[in-house]
């Protein structure tokens, strides 16, 4: 069953968790692409903090501290947030994307200036990770990288197999892509209720490892964000290296670099840092 049109529109400020969850479950089968991250794929995770001592410091937020909704996580289920880029794109780009997503200083606009410590974790996929892709076909219009081209191809093949559902697929994809692209300028976590609960349903009811969606802060064409369950992180990923550095911002100008440290991952899951001489 595919929806002929729908809108989930309760008063989000009342945190109608169960109402939204049932509405999403009632959609039945909806046309989304499933994308697999294969072993060897790199995921970058960033935290705007320094002196991070252990692997867990660069992983998902511990559940006991997970008190609010984020874009792809509810208080009931914490998630690992990171970013990926197409294979031909420089992995350094993931630092920019993850910094834009993580740094309040960068998001502060042209009126903000200052300095902030940020730590990047380079994670490697060691077992296939299956993600539901939340993207609308309009994102394919100017596809200029291999990842968007692959998603476009998969989308076209899917529509060829299910031409009668093309309109319904378009409606559902457009709706959820809009929810995942929200910029929460009010700082109210309930603005993320729909995308967060949608992710919870995808991972708990359908046993997927998480979701994947265009980077909101860095622009949809540059790279993708991923939100991955703790179970998948623990079993299917490993932290290779950490990198602590500085964000310096003056108006529109943002520089990432300067005084930096490289963190080596030790057998006891602690991180040992050494200064990088530039």
């Amino acid at each position: 069953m595919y929806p002929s049109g729908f809108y989930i529109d309760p008063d989000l400020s009342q945190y109608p968790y169960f109402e939204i969850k049932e509405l999403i479950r009632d959609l039945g089968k909806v046309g989304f692409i499933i994308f697999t991250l294969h072993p060897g794929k790199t995921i970058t995770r960033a935290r705007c903090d320094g002196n991070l001592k252990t692997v867990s410091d660069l992983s998902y937020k511990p559940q006991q501290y997970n008190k609010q909704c984020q874009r792809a996580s509810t208080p009931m289920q914490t998630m690992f947030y990171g970013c990926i880029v197409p294979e031909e794109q420089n992995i350094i780009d993931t630092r920019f994307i993850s910094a834009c997503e993580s740094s309040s200083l960068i998001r502060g606009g042209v009126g903000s200036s200052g300095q902030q410590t940020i730590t990047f974790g380079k994670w490697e996929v060691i077992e296939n990770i299956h993600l539901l892709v939340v993207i609308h076909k309009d994102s394919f219009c100017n596809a200029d990288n291999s990842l968007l081209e692959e998603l476009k191809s998969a989308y076209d093949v899917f529509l060829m197999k299910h031409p009668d559902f093309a309109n319904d697929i378009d409606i559902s994809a457009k709706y959820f892509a809009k929810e995942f692209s929200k910029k929460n300028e009010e700082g109210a976590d309930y603005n993320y209720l729909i995308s967060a609960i949608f992710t919870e349903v995808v991972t708990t009811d359908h046993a997927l490892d998480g979701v994947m969606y265009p980077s909101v802060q860095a622009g949809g064409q540059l790279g993708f964000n991923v939100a991955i369950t703790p179970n998948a992180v623990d079993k299917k990923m490993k932290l290779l290296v950490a990198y602590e550095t500085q964000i310096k911002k003056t108006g529109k100008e943002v520089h990432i670099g300067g005084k930096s440290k490289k963190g080596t991952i030790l057998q006891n899951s602690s991180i040992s840092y050494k200064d990088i001489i530039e």
Side-chain angles (χ1 to χ4, degrees):
M1 179 184 72
Y2 288 83
S4 60
F6 63 91
Y7 288 95
I8 301 172
D9 194 28
D11 180 359
L12 297 182
S13 66
Q14 299 302 307
Y15 292 89
Y17 171 84
F18 293 104
E19 179 185 352
I20 293 173
K21 194 166 191 176
E22 287 309 307
L23 285 169
I24 291 173
R25 282 173 167 167
D26 287 346
L27 292 176
K29 294 181 179 179
V30 182
F32 288 95
I33 299 167
I34 306 300
F35 188 81
T36 300
L37 303 182
H38 298 291
K41 182 64 179 175
T42 297
I43 303 172
T44 297
R45 158 87 165 145
R47 278 194 60 190
C48 287
D49 203 348
N51 201 31
L52 303 182
K53 298 288 190 181
T54 66
V55 169
S56 62
D57 289 335
L58 271 168
S59 187
Y60 49 84
K61 181 186 293 186
Q63 182 58 42
Q64 63 266 34
Y65 302 118
N66 182 47
K67 304 297 185 182
Q68 293 184 311
C69 286
Q70 292 181 277
R71 196 177 304 276
S73 56
T74 68
M76 285 74 167
Q77 177 178 275
T78 189
M79 297 286 279
F80 171 100
Y81 288 91
C83 66
I84 62 172
V85 292
E87 296 303 327
E88 74 276 6
Q89 197 167 324
N90 194 322
I91 193 65
I92 297 298
D93 289 342
T94 60
R95 293 182 186 173
F96 173 73
I97 298 169
S98 54
C100 288
E101 293 286 344
S102 305
S103 172
S104 58
L105 177 61
I106 294 177
R107 296 196 306 270
V110 296
S112 64
S113 298
Q115 183 168 317
Q116 191 173 36
T117 299
I118 188 167
T119 303
F120 299 99
K122 180 180 179 182
W123 290 78
E124 182 181 53
V125 175
I126 58 176
E127 185 179 330
N128 283 342
I129 292 176
H130 306 291
L131 306 175
L132 183 144
V133 185
V134 187
I135 189 173
H136 185 249
K137 62 182 178 63
D138 287 351
S139 298
F140 304 139
C141 293
N142 299 310
D144 59 357
N145 62 60
S146 62
L147 184 49
L148 282 175
E149 288 288 355
E150 185 175 351
L151 293 176
K152 181 181 185 300
S153 177
Y155 185 82
D156 290 342
V157 169
F158 186 84
L159 289 185
M160 286 176 62
K161 292 181 179 179
H162 306 282
D164 295 340
F165 300 133
N167 185 61
D168 293 339
I169 292 169
D170 181 67
I171 290 171
S172 58
K174 182 179 290 186
Y175 179 84
F176 286 107
K178 182 179 179 181
E179 289 298 316
F180 273 84
S181 67
K182 278 183 177 177
K183 289 191 176 182
N184 189 10
E185 296 174 351
E186 299 177 19
D189 72 318
Y190 57 74
N191 287 319
Y192 290 146
L193 261 176
I194 294 174
S195 59
I197 296 172
F198 177 81
T199 303
E200 189 175 285
V201 171
V202 163
T203 55
T204 57
D205 292 16
H206 302 286
L208 290 171
D209 295 316
V211 295
M212 170 177 157
Y213 51 96
S215 171
V216 177
Q217 303 295 341
Q221 292 282 326
L222 185 58
F224 275 78
N225 289 323
V226 295
I228 300 172
T229 65
N231 184 59
V233 174
D234 293 343
K235 294 181 178 180
K236 301 181 177 184
M237 294 168 55
K238 67 176 180 180
L239 182 61
L240 298 180
V241 68
Y243 176 71
E244 179 186 307
T245 189
Q246 307 299 313
I247 298 172
K248 297 178 182 178
K249 183 173 184 288
T250 305
K252 294 181 180 180
E253 300 296 323
V254 177
H255 175 74
I256 300 175
K259 185 179 180 181
S260 305
K261 299 178 181 179
K262 180 180 179 181
T264 300
I265 314 305
L266 305 181
Q267 287 187 345
N268 63 357
S269 294
S270 64
I271 303 175
S272 175
Y273 290 93
K274 289 185 178 181
D275 291 337
I276 298 174
I277 307 299
E278 298 183 340

